[in-house]
Structure formats: C-alpha cells, structure tokens
Amino acid sequence: MWRPTARSLDSHLKSMLHSSFSSPSPLRSILTPNHRRFTLRFISFHRVVSTVAVPSIRCSGGNGSLGWRIGAVRCAVFPNEAVMGMGITSVVWNEPIEVKEEELVEGDAAGSGSIPVRAFFFSTSVDLKTLVDQNKQNFIPPTSRMTNYVLLKFGDLRDEPNGLGSTLTGSDCGYMLVFQYGSVVLFNVRDHEVDGFLKIVRKHASGLLPEMRKDEYEVREQTTLSTWMQAGLDHLMLQYLNIDGIRTIGSVLGQSIALDYYVRQVDGMVAEFTDINRAMEKTGTFTMKRKKLFQLVGKANSNLADVILKLGLFERSDIAWKDAKYAQIWEYLRDEFELTQRFASLDFKLKFVEHNIRFLQEILQNRKSDFLEWLIIILIAAEIIISVYDITHKHL
C-alpha cells in the first residue's frame, strides 16, 4: 500500500500552494491582508501508523479551516501588498513536525504499545502435569480454581522510567498459555520465536492434527487511557496488561480457535451426509454400512461433548467473576469472536447430523427387520413343505 512520505508531501504541497497563489482560487476569498496564518487539513489514506513525521501547513482565516486532512505542514505567511493584493510576500517552510496517531486515525490513541497475541490449535490434548514438571522455572501458579490450563513466563518485564511499574510493551518478556484441550496462546512473542515455544508444547501433546490452526489478535497498553478498556478494530486497548488480563484474554482466544476446529469437523460430517442424501435422491437407496454410521454417531457426540465439557464454553472465568474489569474484557471478547453465535451454528449443524443419523438408522433397522421377516417366511415355508412331504409319504 502506498504511504505518503514527509519529503513527497512537502514538495507536493509547496507546488500546490504556489499554484493556488498565482491563479484565482477559493483561498483568495479567505485570505486578507489582516490574516497572518491559515490551515490546510487533509485525510490520511493509511490507518495503521504509529508516529509519522509529515510537513504541516498552518492557515487560519475568518471563514474557518478547510476540511481536508492528509497531514499537517507548518509554514509562516508574511504580508506584502505587492503580491496579488493578498498580503503575501513569501512562504517559509519549517522542518517536518510529528503527527501522533490519534491525530491521523480516529479512535486510535497516541503512544500506545502493541502486544501481539497469537492463538494456535494443533492437538486435541496436552498433558499439563508433565509440561509443568519440565518447565517449573517458568510456571506461574494459578490464582483461581480453573485447572484446564497453565501459564508459563519467559524473560523479564521492562520497568517504566516514570515509575508506573513494569510493562509488557517493548520488553523481552513473553507469556504462553497452554490449555488441556490443545489450544496455545502466545503473548508478546516474536515471529522467529514462535516455533520454539510450540515445540515445548508438542512434546506433551497427543492427538496431533494434520493441519495447525492459527489466529492473531493485538493488545495495546496505554497508561494515559481515560477508561480501563477501549475496543478497536482487531485490537483491544487497556491501561495495562497484567497476569489476570493475560488469563482472561487467552481463555477466550483459546476457546475461539478450538471451536473453529470443531466447527470444521462438523462441517465435514454435514458435507458427508449431504452427499449421501444426493445419492439417495438419484438411486433411491444407500450403501452405508452400519459400522460407518456408528462411527459418525460417535464422532458427532464426542465433538459436542468436547465443546461443552473440555472447552468449558459456558463456564464463566473465575477472574471475571471476581473483578468487573476483567468481566468487561471477557464479555467483550466473547461477543467480538461470536462464541455464542458460533456454538449455536454448531449445535444447529449437529442437529442436522443427528436427524440424518436417526433416519439412516431407521432404514438400517428396517432392512434388518425385513431380513428377519423373510427368514421367518422361508423357515415357515420349509416347515410346510416338510409336513406335506411327511403326510404324502405316510399315505403312500
């Protein structure tokens, strides 16, 4: 994506300002000899920026400021009646000034530190006990009764120079939240370090999947935030991120990435039954064996049990119960990742699978009943034939 630089904006706005003074334009109706400064504002075309150095023009007129906004360039205008009767003799361009993110992007705050959050799901079970035993130096003891996850810390936090304590932003400290049902959530871990962290978990994982699922999110720390939490597009801004915040955010992201796996599992079953129904529509029968049908029954039931019991999708976080601040985060993220709606969709698909399973079971049961009925008929016919033969043989 194209991003304007300070030099290109500087030269472009110089030429634009020069042409506007050498030909009639709306600016002439604004500027008078009594006006010493004016402002031009433009719109930013790029959303994700931190702190950008761009030029700035200051113009103020009796009719207000123009409503465009790309950046801001500083200049000084000096009066001179000899130039176009507008009171302008020269334009002095100063050095580029810094424009904070909050001035360019509505809703984004200046000076906020970004903490990357990555969620992974590559197995259906992790032995937390052996994981803790081999990483005792990194293990952070739990503060609640929840026992389906462990939190490991790697590195040290960075102390704030203003005396506000430690912060995760800009430090070498990373956190890894590992759940018993297979999800792994990493906080403040660099890209080249991700594989090393995941290898630690793989040693204790079972039911490895052929394909790893991944999701990304972002948390921003800003101590000057007026409220405890502020939501944004694909990110969450907090005054600070501590252990309880990591546990709360990680629990929702871990459930979300695991739920995505189970939804795809059920989608596969729905597709399989769809193919069976289409084949029945064409042939009037189906050839599925009873063993295969029972396997689908077990798969559907185990998926539903895993979502409800292992993931604890309807269990509220203990930290959220105790502190309203973290309850706010927990509720917002559940709504942001649409956990309730996605489970409702999963439940609807499972009901469709269940309906098809019941229908096919009835067909198989009817087939078995028909077989037994024909067997009984054959036996009765054989008995009749034997009886007739005996009677005929006696009379002879």
Side-chain angles (χ1 to χ4, degrees), residues 115-130:
I115 301 172
V117 184
R118 299 178 177 89
F120 301 89
F121 189 81
F122 55 84
S123 69
T124 56
S125 179
V126 178
D127 188 346
L128 300 182
K129 185 177 183 300
T130 58

Side-chain angles (χ1 to χ4, degrees), residues 105-376:
V105 184
E106 183 178 357
D108 287 344
S112 59
S114 176
I115 301 172
V117 184
R118 299 178 177 89
F120 301 89
F121 189 81
F122 55 84
S123 69
T124 56
S125 179
V126 178
D127 188 346
L128 300 182
K129 185 177 183 300
T130 58
L131 177 64
V132 172
D133 289 342
Q134 295 187 14
N135 297 273
K136 290 183 178 180
Q137 69 278 10
N138 305 110
F139 175 63
I140 299 179
T143 58
S144 64
R145 59 181 176 85
M146 299 293 289
T147 58
N148 69 332
Y149 69 87
V150 295
L151 180 61
L152 304 178
K153 175 185 175 183
F154 301 86
D156 298 320
L157 292 173
R158 179 176 64 88
D159 292 331
E160 285 284 359
N162 54 11
L164 295 177
S166 299
T167 177
L168 192 58
T169 303
S171 69
D172 294 329
C173 182
Y175 290 88
M176 181 167 64
L177 201 60
V178 184
F179 293 88
Q180 189 175 14
Y181 52 79
S183 291
V184 179
V185 185
L186 304 179
F187 288 80
N188 201 41
V189 176
R190 297 180 179 87
D191 292 338
H192 66 277
E193 298 175 335
V194 170
D195 290 340
F197 280 81
L198 296 182
K199 286 180 181 178
I200 297 175
V201 182
R202 279 196 179 95
K203 298 176 182 178
H204 311 278
S206 59
L208 294 175
L209 306 178
E211 181 182 0
M212 179 175 65
R213 311 209 62 79
K214 178 183 177 182
D215 196 7
E216 294 185 354
Y217 198 62
E218 181 185 2
V219 178
R220 300 178 184 176
E221 284 183 314
Q222 186 186 2
T223 56
T224 58
L225 197 65
S226 58
T227 59
W228 156 248
M229 184 194 83
Q230 181 177 324
L233 182 62
D234 293 332
H235 74 270
L236 183 66
M237 187 173 294
L238 303 174
Q239 290 179 342
Y240 57 88
L241 180 64
N242 58 8
I243 298 299
D244 287 341
I246 289 174
R247 296 181 192 271
T248 303
I249 296 172
S251 66
V252 178
L253 265 66
Q255 289 175 342
S256 176
I257 193 70
L259 182 61
D260 184 59
Y261 163 76
Y262 289 110
V263 167
R264 292 182 180 272
Q265 289 287 101
V266 175
D267 286 343
M269 288 189 287
V270 171
E272 191 168 354
F273 278 109
T274 301
D275 293 339
I276 293 173
N277 291 329
R278 287 176 179 171
M280 289 178 60
E281 182 182 2
K282 294 179 180 179
T283 63
T285 184
F286 78 104
T287 58
M288 178 179 286
K289 296 181 179 180
R290 183 180 295 271
K291 180 180 178 181
K292 176 65 174 178
L293 182 61
F294 286 162
Q295 287 175 340
L296 289 175
V297 172
K299 188 175 182 180
N301 292 336
S302 63
N303 282 336
L304 183 60
D306 288 344
V307 171
I308 296 177
L309 300 178
K310 281 189 176 182
L311 269 63
L313 203 59
F314 298 102
E315 295 181 10
R316 191 180 183 91
S317 169
D318 286 352
I319 299 172
W321 274 113
K322 297 176 182 178
D323 196 323
K325 294 189 301 183
Y326 301 105
Q328 184 183 5
I329 296 175
W330 185 79
E331 291 170 357
Y332 167 75
L333 289 177
R334 282 181 62 88
D335 184 64
E336 173 75 8
F337 288 93
E338 299 180 340
L339 293 188
T340 303
Q341 295 90 328
R342 288 161 62 190
F343 176 79
S345 175
L346 175 69
D347 187 51
F348 177 79
K349 294 174 183 177
L350 284 173
K351 287 181 180 178
F352 170 79
V353 172
E354 181 184 356
H355 172 75
N356 281 268
I357 288 174
R358 187 182 298 113
F359 171 70
L360 296 179
Q361 279 180 329
E362 290 177 356
I363 294 178
L364 291 177
Q365 186 65 32
N366 291 336
R367 283 182 179 180
K368 186 176 181 180
S369 299
D370 292 342
F371 172 76
L372 292 175
E373 288 175 0
W374 279 106
L375 182 61
I376 292 172

